[in-house]
Amino acid sequence: MIKCRLSLCTAIIAIFLLQSQSKGPLLTFSPSIAQGSPLFIVASSAKPLVGSMLRIQYLSGKLGSFFQAYNPGLDFLSIMAESPEKAVSYLGIEPPVAFLAGIPPDAEPGPARVLLYSSLGELIAEAGLEILAREYIAEDIRLTPSLTGLRADADPKKEEEARRYAALLAMSNPLAVYLDAPFIKPVQSERRTSFYGDRRRYLYSSGSVAYSMHAGTDYGVPVGTPLTAAGRGRVVMAEYRIVTGNTLVLEHLPGVYSIYMHMHTISVTMEQLVGRGEAIGRSGATGLATGPHLHWELRISNIPCDPEAMIGIDNFPDIGTMLPRLKGGDFYQPDYDRRQ
């Protein structure tokens, strides 16, 4: 008991000295990150950070802004019993705010700045970040006449599906707090037929060509292969779409979604809360697919990020409750460089 009190006293003194020397919030994150990767940034401060906003300024001068995760409380006694050193980092300060940012796949490589603004728009902390270039594969995909029509022909229903899908991924529900651990792979296979960020050239049967970036990872698996949820989340889409076939979208955090396309069957229903590793359906070749596979995708504030970068991520923070960035009572909308 005496030892515990001494440790607590030491922690209090240490945090007092730390805070007395600190002039603002402390930002903790990986100093370098590849294009198209998710990035956790934890901000700690002696003052409340509710409503604060994070921006990343890229080499080009453009800014990206993102939603935040806020942990409203910590079980200090449990942390103290586990690690007095860890308790020092929390004692005497406001609960840390964890931001989950998506680095765009075409963010300009080089030095960047992480900027933290208060709810009043005041710059209260900044730190350097290095954006690393990622190598992308170029691939040609030759389409049959039927697949060419599926992708290229105008169709009011297809356009309506695309608008509704885009609107869903642009939403950020402040009450959507489900993710409690890093991702796991949604399928037991190491066979990848396409990779995140591939630069695709579609060769139409008509002789024309179209270009796009592959926003996810494709696992080449037989029809009927079991699929599981990559992380705990809520079902916000479970339907057949013309281009992507049987499509499932799970909401994990405000503005954070994982997507599963071309499925043969979907075994979960709208609004259902599924756990990490729980069965969600089976793989297939529905929609625009040249063969059986699972297309798996991750969106953060509508930025397509590498879903495999969320597997076993080593800086996953303790997340309690997610709150949106607020200004005058309105939600900020994602604002990032869309050069694709």
Side-chain angles (χ1 to χ4, degrees):
M1 186 62 154
I2 294 177
K3 182 178 180 181
C4 180
R5 287 180 176 175
L6 287 175
S7 298
L8 180 59
C9 183
T10 302
I12 292 172
I13 294 173
I15 197 65
F16 174 79
L17 293 175
L18 177 66
Q19 289 298 309
S20 66
Q21 297 173 7
S22 175
K23 295 183 179 180
L26 174 66
L27 299 177
T28 304
F29 55 90
S30 174
S32 60
I33 191 76
Q35 294 169 314
S37 298
L39 175 65
F40 282 105
I41 301 175
V42 178
S44 301
S45 173
K47 297 180 180 180
L49 291 174
V50 177
S52 57
M53 181 178 68
L54 180 80
R55 286 182 176 271
I56 298 181
Q57 185 172 29
Y58 300 106
L59 187 63
S60 61
K62 293 183 179 294
L63 292 174
S65 56
F66 310 94
F67 290 90
Q68 73 180 38
Y70 177 65
N71 188 337
L74 297 164
D75 185 350
F76 180 76
L77 293 180
S78 296
I79 295 173
M80 189 69 194
E82 175 188 343
S83 170
E85 292 77 15
K86 185 177 181 180
V88 169
S89 66
Y90 293 129
L91 185 62
I93 63 175
E94 284 290 312
V97 174
F99 297 86
L100 177 55
I103 304 300
D106 58 355
E108 197 163 354
R113 301 294 294 172
V114 176
L115 309 172
L116 182 66
Y117 293 87
S118 70
S119 58
L120 300 178
E122 175 191 3
L123 179 63
I124 54 177
E126 62 178 308
L129 173 68
E130 184 75 12
I131 305 296
L132 305 178
R134 178 194 291 258
E135 291 187 9
Y136 297 110
I137 297 173
E139 62 176 347
D140 287 347
I141 298 179
R142 193 173 299 277
L143 300 181
T144 63
S146 61
L147 291 181
T148 294
L150 194 62
R151 190 175 195 277
D153 292 351
D155 184 333
K157 188 175 189 304
K158 186 170 64 175
E159 293 171 2
E160 186 275 333
E161 289 177 348
R163 285 194 297 270
R164 191 157 47 84
Y165 178 72
L168 172 65
L169 297 183
M171 290 179 60
S172 182
N173 176 10
L175 301 179
V177 185
Y178 310 111
L179 193 66
D180 55 5
F183 277 178
I184 59 173
K185 278 199 314 173
V187 62
Q188 295 300 309
S189 175
E190 296 298 330
R191 181 172 180 260
R192 297 165 180 80
T193 52
S194 288
F195 297 88
Y196 166 80
D198 286 358
R199 271 38 182 173
R200 287 183 161 180
R201 189 172 68 152
Y202 286 98
L203 307 179
Y204 292 160
S205 59
S206 61
S208 58
V209 177
Y211 299 88
S212 74
M213 186 205 80
H214 191 230
T217 297
D218 287 351
Y219 295 95
V221 291
V223 171
T225 301
L227 305 176
T228 58
R232 186 170 181 266
R234 182 175 68 97
V235 178
V236 292
M237 176 178 281
E239 64 183 56
Y240 185 89
R241 304 177 70 240
I242 294 173
V243 176
T244 60
N246 282 319
T247 302
L248 175 68
V249 179
L250 297 181
E251 180 183 41
H252 301 285
L253 294 170
V256 179
Y257 302 90
S258 64
I259 304 158
Y260 312 77
M261 294 177 172
H262 309 296
M263 298 170 67
H264 182 62
T265 57
I266 299 174
S267 60
V268 292
T269 57
M270 284 292 293
E271 304 299 328
Q272 181 177 340
L273 184 62
V274 297
R276 185 175 74 155
E278 185 174 336
I280 56 174
R282 294 182 179 272
S283 65
T286 55
L288 201 165
T290 57
H293 72 286
L294 168 69
H295 172 93
W296 181 40
E297 195 170 319
L298 168 68
R299 295 285 180 125
I300 301 174
S301 294
N302 215 6
I303 298 173
C305 293
D306 183 357
E308 292 192 335
M310 280 282 283
I311 296 175
I313 194 166
D314 60 2
N315 61 343
F316 192 92
D318 295 327
I319 292 182
T321 300
M322 298 285 288
L323 294 176
R325 302 186 318 269
L326 298 174
K327 184 178 182 181
D330 296 325
F331 294 127
Y332 280 112
Q333 297 299 318
D335 174 25
Y336 70 99
D337 189 6
R338 300 174 185 271
R339 298 168 298 157
Q340 295 185 29

